[in-house]
Structures are given as C-alpha cells and as structure tokens.
Amino acid sequence: MKAVRYHRYGGSEVLAYEDAERPVPGAGQVLVKVAATSFNPVDLGIRAGGLQEVFPLEFPHVPGIEVAGTIAELGPGVDGHQVGDAVVAFLPMNADGAAAEYAIAPAEALAAAPRTVELTDAAALPVGGLTAWQALFDDAHLKAGQTVLINGASGAVGSYAVQLAHEAGATVTATSSPRHEERLRGYGADRIIGHLDFTASPLTAGQFDVVVNLVPTTPEETAALTGLVADGGALVSTTTPPPDNPGRGIRTARVFVVSDAGQLAGLVSRVDAGTLRITVADRRPLADLPAVHDEAASGRLVGKTVLIP
C-alpha cells in the first residue's frame, strides 16, 4: 500500500510518500480501508519531536490521528463491528495513523460514520468535534441560558463549538474575521466581533459565564480573557494555559482532547440530524501532505484540510 511516513523527527522534508506493508489488526483492533484522514496542528509538534516525551514514536511512523473509512478486517476478539461498516475514529496520538491506504484502529475508538455526508468529509469530525464538546461540557459545564464567548470561532474547533453551544441553548458571541461572519451566523452565533484587541475590547468585565479560548494568547491576554468571565464562571483554553485560581470563584482548565467513541457517536447523530455541520476547507491527495505541513507551519493553511489516499 501507499503511505506517508517519516523515519526520524524533523521538518516537513522527513515526510515521504512511499510503499509500506499493509498492517494486520491485532486483538481488539480493526483494519480500516481509509477514505480520508485530516491534518491537525498537533501533527507539526509530533513530527518535529517537540512532543516526544508525551507521545514517543516508533519509526517509521505514519501520521494522521483522524480516520474515516470502511472496515476491511477484524482482529481477534472484536465484536459489534462488521467488515464493510463505514466508521470514523480519533486514533491514538503516537500509534501509526491514517495517512495511508489502510490503517489500524482500536475497535473501542470507532463510531459509525455519518450517513448524510461524504465519507471523506467525515474525517474532519473526530478531533475538532470532540475538542469542542469536551471544552464546553466536560470542562466548562456549559448550560442552557448561559452566555459564552468563543475566541477563535472560525477554525475547525470553533465552528463546532458555536454550533454545539447554540444547540445547548447558550447565547453565543464569536470572534472572527468578517469573511466567516455569514457562516458563523448560520451556525447559531448571536453576535460576532472581530479578533480581540485587548487594549480596546468592545467587551466588558464579567460579561460571560463561559469563555473558550482557541487561539494562542500571551499571559497578559489570557488574564484579560479571565476578566471577561463572570463570578463563578469558567475559562477553558486549548492553547495558552489559563491562570490557576484566578479568584471570584472562576474555574479554569486547559483542554486536552481524548478519544471517546460515545461522545463521537453523539456528534455523528447530530450531523445526521442536521444540527451539526462539518466544514471542510480543502480536499487534497494524500501525497500532498508534506505541502500541507509547510502551509500550516507558515500560517497559510486556513480551515480543515482532508487528505484522500
């Protein structure tokens, strides 16, 4: 089979589109014929070696932590799945991934793929959708009737967060550039403002029950975001760690997404019900993955890119 692999840590030049042996599923695993994988920013840190203490790799390594495809083979002891089932999954961070024609997935990570979207596009759901869900509900405990600020709403996680918060009955304020305003309003954003200028913000202190930060911020900017949280509210961040114990009863959390097949199945059901939309910015052949890494590193990659073997 063809796969993108790297044999050492480094820049995008270590990514090679090459022949590889088709993997064989072990106990509790399935072999997935990959319809698509997707790029995630964490892929850059893993490839460069910056996360090797947390996610050590064995080389050669196949990247790609999201997969959509069909089950090609069941490993020993796998129940509840059949060959030919269309599935999606968030794969282990340091195992071989889905940037290949076939990929191994833990059976426990699988959810049935959405029926109402192209299978390739479903590869854009697991990581972004789960990050948004866990930030809003597991970490921030968002409830109906609350107010939420989503800082960085136009990206993959932010787009899901706007929709999920709206569905939950929250009043949603989103930060975004003007070109994404129409889409975010369609997702349920009640108010859209430009990227925050922390020296002249249009927002007032204590305005939100929940603030979700999805963009890199300085410690000073993160402190300013804390100031926007109401007494007893929550600040959660996927990027810069929020301050510990900021006072006024505010809870803070750094969001570390985890694979959860039950939550993923819930997101899939929302996609099929039409209450959660998947936005794909670009669809590229798998051989383009080195170029996608380059574009992401230089800030030229906007939105979610899926890669098709």
Side-chain angles (χ1 to χ4, degrees), residues 6 9 46 51-58 61-62 65 91-97:
Y6 50 99
Y9 295 116
I46 294 174
L51 299 175
Q52 58 185 293
E53 291 188 4
V54 182
F55 304 120
L57 304 180
E58 292 185 6
H61 176 72
V62 179
I65 57 175
L91 301 176
M93 290 279 197
N94 60 340
D96 277 342

Side-chain angles (χ1 to χ4, degrees), residues 6 70 73 94 150 169 175 178 215 223 227 246 260 264 277 308:
Y6 50 99
T70 54
E73 186 179 341
N94 60 340
I150 299 171
T175 72
V215 300
D260 187 309
L264 183 54
R277 282 175 276 177
I308 302 168

Side-chain angles (χ1 to χ4, degrees), residues 24-205:
V24 176
Q29 298 178 327
V30 303
L31 180 69
V32 177
K33 180 175 173 49
V34 177
T37 187
S38 69
F39 172 80
N40 286 278
V42 71
D43 296 340
L44 299 180
I46 294 174
R47 185 213 68 219
L51 299 175
Q52 58 185 293
E53 291 188 4
V54 182
F55 304 120
L57 304 180
E58 292 185 6
F59 295 116
H61 176 72
V62 179
I65 57 175
E66 293 181 277
V67 65
T70 54
I71 294 177
E73 186 179 341
L74 302 176
V78 174
D79 297 315
H81 299 285
Q82 296 182 343
V83 171
D85 286 350
V87 293
V88 292
F90 174 10
L91 301 176
M93 290 279 197
N94 60 340
D96 277 342
E101 293 180 300
Y102 290 89
I104 295 294
E108 63 185 12
L110 298 175
R115 302 182 305 275
T116 55
V117 299
E118 293 290 337
L119 186 56
T120 51
D121 287 358
L125 177 64
V127 171
L130 287 172
T131 303
W133 180 272
Q134 291 167 16
L136 289 169
F137 304 112
D138 293 351
D139 294 323
H141 309 302
L142 182 71
K143 297 177 178 62
Q146 290 188 320
T147 54
V148 57
L149 170 67
I150 299 171
N151 187 34
S154 60
V157 176
S159 295
Y160 290 126
V162 168
Q163 296 178 77
L164 292 169
H166 172 74
E167 183 196 31
T171 300
V172 182
T173 297
T175 72
S176 172
S177 60
R179 65 194 180 101
H180 298 290
E181 182 170 343
E182 182 178 355
R183 175 169 61 86
L184 292 174
R185 288 201 184 279
Y187 287 167
D190 298 282
R191 180 187 182 193
I192 299 174
I193 60 177
H195 299 303
L196 288 181
D197 177 355
F198 289 92
T199 63
S201 173
L203 305 177
T204 57

